[in-house]
Amino acid sequence: MRFAFFVARHYLCARSRQTFISVITVMSVLGVALGVAALIVVLGVYNGFSTDIRDKILGVNAHIVITGNTSEFRNGNGMPELLNAVHRTSGVVSATPFIYAEGMLSSYKGVKGLVLRGIDPSSSSDAIAVLQHLRRGTIRELAPDHGLPGVIIGQELADKLGVTYGSRVNLLSPAGQKTASGFQPKIRPFRVSGLFHTGMYEYDTSLGFIDLDAARELMGLPDRFVTGVEVTVSDAYEADKTAALLRTVLSRPIGIRTWMDMNANLFAALKLEKIGMFILLTMVVLIGSFSIVTSLVMLVTEKTRDIAVLMAMGATRGMIRSIFMIQGTVIGLIGTLIGYVLGISVALLLQKYQFIKLPPGVYTLDHLPVLLNWTDGFIIGASAMLLCFLATIYPAGKAAALQPAEALRYE
């Protein structure tokens, strides 16, 4: 094998007289390098987008949601026991009841429909991350102040309706109420007690948080009624295991869904896009590997006499095959390393300086996110090296199949 390495190194370093073959070799290296660099940057951007979307979803939603139509949810009978059982389950960090409803928010500037979440201020800040980082106000301000209960809305919605922190707004309930003049929507005044910003337009323009009691009164629901329980776990990626434990512990006819279940279609689509991008950009590396085939075939043709002499002097066909396989693999290795340096450098520059801006009204953030995943980096390098190695098989086999007598007949 040392002999094969020596000859392969000699062929790689002494190519000045073979200008055309050298150009093809350089193009092979550049093809592999560009393919590897493109894969690193594109998959880094994909990972950045996926992580950003996941964080924004988890910032507004709990890891696990428990819902049902049992007495615990309808009238609160047994709810403390249910919450205690949830808290005792391994992996659970917090649990809080909530009410899900829909309504309309009105101000002097207009009316906007929104999803209302009735929450318990004493326990919801641990379950809903976005409430821990409000732009204005605190979750404690949901309690009535001067007779007006509080509502927390997105900054985008506040801008649309021309309101700000402390402004008075009206919430309209579709449940309505009977009056002497007939059935009318129920309207209650609220005070904007907090503003949040997630970066996701759908959440920032159509989501509001109010106190549990205020939600029941607005929607005309019974005392102690809740829609469900939001659960936060220590590891979001282990939510399905904790959900399985909860199904065993609670053993009731209730629904238990994780954040992955509720967003399965979104993450399945993102995963499919990642696979598609990987396959598409691998074609660039494949083009570079084809150039390696061309370079080695031309080199075999150029070195026919040398190969014949080596075989006449005792070199085996395996040695000859190894010479060209090593040479092609080294070309692929150089291209892969250059691709790593180029791709990681571009990714780190994008990550630090954020010089590619995105329209925030279209995307969930205003810059191109990049998150380098070293597992993806290893797979990219391994795939590139595998393609380059496979590209050496045909020309190496062609070199090993030469007959010394035929090759030297006309020399």
Side-chain angles (χ1 to χ4, degrees), residues 277-316:
M277 286 188 295
F278 183 86
I279 293 173
L280 181 63
L281 292 172
T282 301
M283 297 295 106
V284 180
V285 182
L286 190 60
I287 293 170
S289 66
F290 282 153
S291 298
I292 293 175
V293 175
T294 304
S295 175
L296 292 181
V297 167
M298 295 182 67
L299 184 63
V300 169
T301 304
E302 177 74 23
K303 299 296 184 180
T304 298
R305 181 174 177 275
D306 292 5
I307 295 169
V309 170
L310 289 173
M311 295 179 73
M313 294 175 64
T316 64

Side-chain angles (χ1 to χ4, degrees), residues 17 22 30 56 63 82 99 103 110 125 141 147 170 177 206 248 295 298 301-302 307 328-329 345 349 392-393:
R17 295 186 304 274
S22 298
L30 290 177
K56 285 180 169 64
H63 299 154
L82 185 146
I99 291 175
S125 60
E141 296 180 48
N170 293 315
Q177 57 185 354
S206 59
T248 303
S295 175
M298 295 182 67
T301 304
E302 177 74 23
I307 295 169
T329 304
S345 299
L349 288 172
T392 66
I393 294 177

